[in-house]
Amino acid sequence: MVRVAFYTLGCKLNQAETESLANQFREAGYQLVTPDDVADIYITNTCTVTHVADRKSRHWLRLARRRNPRAFIIASGCYAQRAPQELAPIADSVIDNEEKEHLLEIVGGLSLRAQIPSPLKGEGRGEGEMRQSHAPCQVRGDVGRGSFIPLNGISRIRSLIKIQDGCRSPCAYCIVPRVRAYEYSLPASQIIDEVKLKVALGYKEVVLTGTKIGCYKDAVLSDSEGSSIDLRGLIERILHDTGIGRLRLSSLQPQEISAQFLALWQDKRLCRHLHLALQSGSDGILQRMKRCYSLDDYQQAVNLIKETIPGVAITTDVMVGFPGESDEEFEQSCHFCQQAGFANIHVFPFSPRPGTLAARMPQQIDERVKKERKQRMLELAQKCRHSFYEQFLGQVMPVLWEKETSLGSGIHSGLTDNYIRVFTPSHEHLTNKIAPVKLAGFHNQGMWGELVEILS
């Protein structure tokens, strides 16, 4: 069988797209392997939200080339959309976001021309088949660590499902509207069918993701009043029509929070975790960023969430070093984050992106200052996380167990519905089971739990 390795950098939307593509390749007869293995085809779903993401994408492509010089290397995703000419020297094919969903057909077409291995041939390229020497095929047109699809293609624990893509309201610093400009929503019927399939395959949790899932709108289906199905309506239908055990949402905006929307959390299958992007705790910076809310708007959303959903985890993103950010404005951000009581804060320094308004702004912040501010905000994030965890000490909470860790002694790792990472020793196989634990102490990556019983 032809071996294919997928590697993903960046957001949950990228991860959802890779998961879908990997399943397509597996069903078409390709063998999925990890990026650490020798593969015939390496496919990376790139990110370009920061210069660090660009560098990581290039690094992984070069690493894949060293791992198997005869392999066919494909770069896809947002970096491929933004600057295909930069990836052309290190990839055999550069495929942008518009064509990424057709990747299986594109690879199949190249296989017929004997440029890359085909599962129909059942062999990798022989000694006589040289790597393309011409420029790669360009088709039309602080980031987390990379991830990859498990060997069997399906982990059967948590699945990310894309429901929406694109953004037409660019913030001053953001490159995403340039690489995912076309805004659209997937049909609700298609999403519900996909959730049903995941349930049938044994998944316990589904995460709905997109560029701006709060903008979801299905113009085909309508509710009882004849209005288009929005995100709230989609969630209602998923909870009513499927047997999914847990449903989790990716990032939302504060202006998308309402009492009517939060009433959905009366269904316990909705995870008590909302990621609400902040970016800055200074009104002046928010205005210069062209964010669509004030700190008062944000605080009202936080208050409403906490009043409606007991034990909820609110996580956020904070950027440090935006052009012109003064010491006072940074201190305002620290103070706001401390008062908001976040469960976790994703901290990243401003990275000028080509073509964005912020890249041309005066008063660019020195890298040394960015580094210092990032470190301070990370320390604050750790304190916030510890304070959030502390309130659950001694409580019994159900955990979806994901895997046995590399810590040894049968230590398993999983997540509560409100996003607490839990570790527990067990000689029983817990993977993909929901079992309650008593949260007994702190772990450097989460909390220790004492297993109570195994439920499912």
Side-chain angles (χ1 to χ4, degrees):
M1 296 177 70
V2 177
R3 298 157 298 180
V4 180
F6 283 89
Y7 192 76
T8 307
L9 292 110
C11 63
K12 284 184 171 61
L13 177 55
N14 260 13
Q15 294 171 34
E17 290 173 338
T18 299
E19 181 181 330
S20 176
L21 286 168
N23 286 333
Q24 291 176 31
F25 273 78
R26 177 180 52 80
E27 292 170 2
Y30 293 86
Q31 178 187 357
L32 298 186
V33 299
T34 75
D36 293 332
D37 293 319
V38 175
D40 301 300
I41 305 170
Y42 290 95
I43 300 172
T44 180
N45 199 352
T46 63
C47 176
T48 193
V49 73
T50 65
H51 71 280
V52 175
D54 288 346
R55 186 173 69 239
K56 287 182 177 180
S57 297
R58 294 192 301 269
H59 171 76
W60 189 82
L61 289 166
R62 294 188 180 103
L63 189 64
R65 177 68 67 209
R66 290 196 296 271
R67 189 159 284 127
N68 183 6
R70 294 189 296 124
F72 195 86
I73 312 292
I74 297 174
S76 67
C78 292
Y79 191 3
Q81 179 83 33
R82 182 185 68 80
Q85 72 283 356
E86 294 181 14
L87 298 176
I90 51 177
D92 296 310
S93 183
V94 181
I95 296 174
D96 62 27
N97 278 328
E98 296 179 19
E99 292 293 341
K100 183 164 58 178
E101 62 184 82
H102 305 296
L103 187 57
L104 179 62
E105 299 101 77
I106 293 170
V107 169
L110 293 171
S111 297
L112 292 175
R113 296 197 294 274
Q115 292 175 299
I116 62 174
S118 165
L120 299 177
K121 299 174 185 177
E123 297 290 343
R125 276 180 291 176
E127 294 295 333
E129 295 179 88
M130 301 298 293
R131 187 171 80 88
Q132 290 175 275
S133 58
H134 55 77
C137 168
Q138 296 177 18
V139 185
R140 283 187 60 183
D142 179 58
V143 176
R145 291 175 294 177
S147 59
F148 59 88
I149 300 299
L151 280 172
N152 63 357
I154 301 179
S155 64
R156 301 184 189 276
I157 297 170
R158 179 179 297 106
S159 177
L160 291 95
I161 294 181
K162 174 179 173 178
I163 67 169
Q164 180 274 344
D165 199 354
C167 176
R168 291 198 297 261
S169 51
C171 298
Y173 56 83
C174 189
I175 193 68
V176 173
R178 291 178 174 267
V179 294
R180 292 184 181 270
Y182 176 52
E183 192 171 304
Y184 66 94
S185 299
L186 279 71
S189 57
Q190 177 182 328
I191 297 166
I192 291 168
D193 285 344
E194 188 167 357
V195 175
K196 288 179 178 178
L197 174 61
K198 300 302 183 182
V199 172
L201 289 171
Y203 286 91
K204 293 292 196 298
E205 181 178 308
V206 157
V207 182
L208 303 183
T209 188
T211 310
K212 292 176 65 178
I213 65 170
C215 294
Y216 180 84
K217 193 79 67 176
D218 185 345
V220 177
L221 290 181
S222 60
D223 58 23
S224 58
E225 298 178 357
S227 300
S228 299
I229 293 291
D230 59 7
L231 179 61
R232 180 176 182 272
L234 174 66
I235 293 171
E236 285 180 325
R237 293 202 173 204
I238 291 173
L239 293 173
H240 181 271
D241 295 348
T242 78
I244 190 63
R246 281 185 176 183
L247 186 63
R248 196 182 296 273
L249 307 182
S250 61
S251 185
L252 292 167
Q253 301 292 321
Q255 63 269 28
E256 296 161 355
I257 303 300
S258 67
Q260 186 182 34
F261 179 70
L262 295 176
L264 291 169
W265 270 259
Q266 294 176 21
D267 191 314
K268 301 302 182 184
R269 292 178 293 164
L270 261 176
C271 292
R272 296 173 300 161
H273 170 218
L274 289 171
H275 187 83
L276 211 62
L278 173 63
Q279 306 304 358
S280 175
S282 161
D283 271 320
I285 294 292
L286 289 178
Q287 290 173 8
R288 300 203 294 275
M289 285 180 169
K290 297 192 177 298
R291 299 293 285 174
C292 300
Y293 53 84
S294 66
L295 287 182
D296 186 58
D297 296 331
Y298 192 98
Q299 187 63 63
Q300 288 185 44
V302 168
N303 293 343
L304 184 59
I305 291 169
K306 291 186 175 182
E307 290 167 5
T308 308
I309 311 173
V312 67
I314 302 177
T315 57
T316 196
D317 302 317
V318 172
M319 179 187 294
V320 299
F322 187 78
E325 182 186 56
S326 65
D327 290 340
E328 181 182 1
E329 287 170 324
F330 174 70
E331 294 299 335
Q332 289 171 359
S333 279
C334 291
H335 178 74
F336 186 88
C337 290
Q338 192 168 19
Q339 296 301 311
F342 293 119
N344 200 13
I345 304 171
H346 173 228
V347 184
F348 58 104
F350 169 74
S351 177
R353 297 284 76 203
T356 62
L357 179 62
R360 304 189 300 273
M361 285 182 175
Q363 296 181 285
Q364 297 285 327
I365 304 300
D366 183 77
E367 291 299 323
R368 178 185 57 82
V369 175
K370 288 184 192 177
K371 185 176 181 180
E372 291 173 353
R373 291 178 180 175
K374 178 183 177 182
Q375 184 58 40
R376 275 198 57 195
M377 191 63 76
L378 285 172
E379 291 171 359
L380 176 58
Q382 185 175 11
K383 292 178 182 178
C384 290
R385 188 165 56 248
H386 187 275
S387 295
F388 178 74
Y389 289 170
E390 194 170 30
Q391 63 185 303
F392 298 99
L393 272 173
Q395 292 192 24
V396 175
M397 300 180 70
V399 172
L400 174 56
W401 298 102
E402 298 171 354
K403 61 182 179 180
E404 187 170 351
T405 71
S406 58
L407 299 176
S409 303
I411 303 298
H412 293 258
S413 168
L415 283 175
T416 63
D417 74 304
N418 62 346
Y419 219 59
I420 298 175
R421 173 66 59 184
V422 182
F423 299 86
T424 194
S426 175
H427 296 298
E428 296 194 52
H429 182 70
L430 297 181
T431 301
N432 205 29
K433 294 180 179 179
I434 296 177
V437 296
K438 180 180 179 181
L439 301 181
F442 296 105
H443 182 279
N444 60 2
Q445 298 176 38
M447 298 187 76
W448 284 107
E450 297 174 355
L451 198 61
V452 176
E453 59 178 311
I454 299 177
L455 294 181
S456 60

